[in-house]
Every structure is written in structure tokens, then in C-alpha cells.
């Protein structure tokens, strides 16, 4: 059997904290898991978080990684959002944008065709989809296209 990766070892300890005392797992994996569990509200990955955008120490680590990867380009942990999925994140952004009623209701430019999940998300967030049909170059400027082709 192949050895477990560091990430799997840390996840195992986070999900089953009693493994922190097990000597069969490397010390660095147990220490990392202990640090992560300490940052979780309630000391468990299953507990509710006080922040809705991610655990602060993880956001800080990600920002530091981005700065190293991108050659020192600034990365702020407050600009990083973690969520349980892309639709949840889209909903968060849509709720930030949504305002007004009737003629002043927020509209979102939506290319057609669009993902089948988008219209229900827009409706739930209280924003109006503003349909924008996708046009090809041939549809937009047939005369220009004929000039380009003939030259």
C-alpha cells in the first residue's frame, strides 16, 4: 500500500482528532492538524464558523502562497473567499449587488444561451436577468466580413 500524502494525513487528523496522539502519523502532519483545529470555532471542522468567508489562518496562508508564487505581488487575506461551492459564492455576490424594485431593480447582463442553473440563482437573489444574445461576427457585420474575405 502506498504511503498517505501529507494532505491526507492532516485531513484524517482533522476529521478524527483522536489521531493527534497517534505516533504512526508524522509529527508535522499532527501539528498542522492541531493548528487548523485550533483555528476552527469549537475546535472541530464540523462546527459553525464565526466567519462566512473562510478560516482566517487558512486565508492568510493562501495569501502568503499567492505572494510567493506571483513574485511579491500583494495579496490580502480579506480579499479571499472560501465557500462550499461556486453557486454559493455566486449567490453571495448577487446578494451584494441586488437592490431596488420594479424599474430600479438590479439587472445582470446574461449571455444566451447560459448555464441552466443561472436563471434560478438570479431569481432567488432578486435580480433581473437582462438577456444578451450571443452574436457571431458574420451576424454583426456581414458587409465587413465580405470585404475581408474578398481582399
Amino acid at each position: 500500500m502506498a504511503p498517505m500524502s501529507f494532505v491526507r494525513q492532516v485531513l484524517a487528523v482533522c476529521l478524527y482528532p483522536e489521531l493527534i496522539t497517534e505516533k504512526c502519523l508524522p509529527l508535522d502532519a499532527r501539528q498542522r492538524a492541531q493548528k487548523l483545529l485550533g483555528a476552527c470555532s469549537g475546535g472541530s471542522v464540523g462546527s459553525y464558523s464565526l466567519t462566512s468567508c473562510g478560516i482566517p489562518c487558512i486565508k492568510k496562508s493562501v495569501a502568503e502562497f499567492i505572494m510567493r508564487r506571483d513574485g511579491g505581488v500583494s495579496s490580502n487575506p480579506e480579499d479571499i473567499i472560501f465557500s462550499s461551492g461556486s453557486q454559493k459564492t455566486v449567490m453571495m455576490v448577487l446578494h451584494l449587488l441586488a437592490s431596488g424594485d420594479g424599474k430600479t431593480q438590479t439587472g445582470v447582463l446574461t449571455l444566451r444561451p447560459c448555464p441552466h442553473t443561472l436563471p434560478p440563482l438570479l431569481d432567488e437573489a432578486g435580480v433581473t436577468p437582462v438577456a444578451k444574445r450571443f452574436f457571431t461576427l458574420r451576424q454583426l457585420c456581414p458587409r465587413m466580413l465580405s470585404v475581408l474575405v474578398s481582399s
Side-chain angles (χ1 to χ4, degrees):
M1 184 166 117
M4 283 200 307
S5 71
F6 178 76
V7 172
R8 287 178 184 238
Q9 292 165 341
V10 172
L11 280 172
V13 177
C14 285
L15 294 172
Y16 190 66
E18 288 78 11
L19 291 174
I20 286 178
T21 59
E22 290 295 324
K23 304 292 184 215
C24 63
L25 292 172
L27 179 62
D28 60 340
R30 291 182 284 144
Q31 288 173 334
R32 179 73 59 91
Q34 194 164 22
K35 178 183 174 187
L36 291 171
L37 289 170
C40 293
S41 302
S44 166
V45 293
S47 61
Y48 287 102
S49 174
L50 296 176
T51 64
S52 62
C53 297
I55 298 170
C57 74
I58 295 174
K59 291 170 57 167
K60 182 175 182 266
S61 293
V62 169
E64 290 167 355
F65 167 80
I66 291 170
M67 284 177 44
R68 280 193 314 274
R69 182 197 67 189
D70 295 349
V73 174
S74 180
S75 179
N76 185 347
E78 295 301 315
D79 296 335
I80 296 172
I81 296 175
F82 286 104
S83 76
S84 60
S86 61
Q87 288 191 357
K88 182 175 181 179
T89 305
V90 168
M91 282 300 293
M92 287 171 44
V93 171
L94 288 173
H95 280 294
L96 289 172
L97 296 174
S99 67
D101 289 314
K103 289 184 177 186
T104 63
Q105 185 176 16
T106 301
V108 174
L109 188 61
T110 309
L111 291 177
R112 299 290 185 190
C114 69
H116 71 282
T117 56
L118 187 58
L121 283 176
L122 296 174
D123 187 49
E124 186 179 332
V127 299
T128 302
V130 178
K132 171 76 172 117
R133 192 167 153 228
F134 179 75
F135 291 99
T136 64
L137 181 60
R138 179 168 294 166
Q139 291 169 314
L140 288 174
C141 45
R143 181 180 162 104
M144 180 188 283
L145 191 60
S146 66
V147 170
L148 290 173
V149 171
S150 65
S151 39

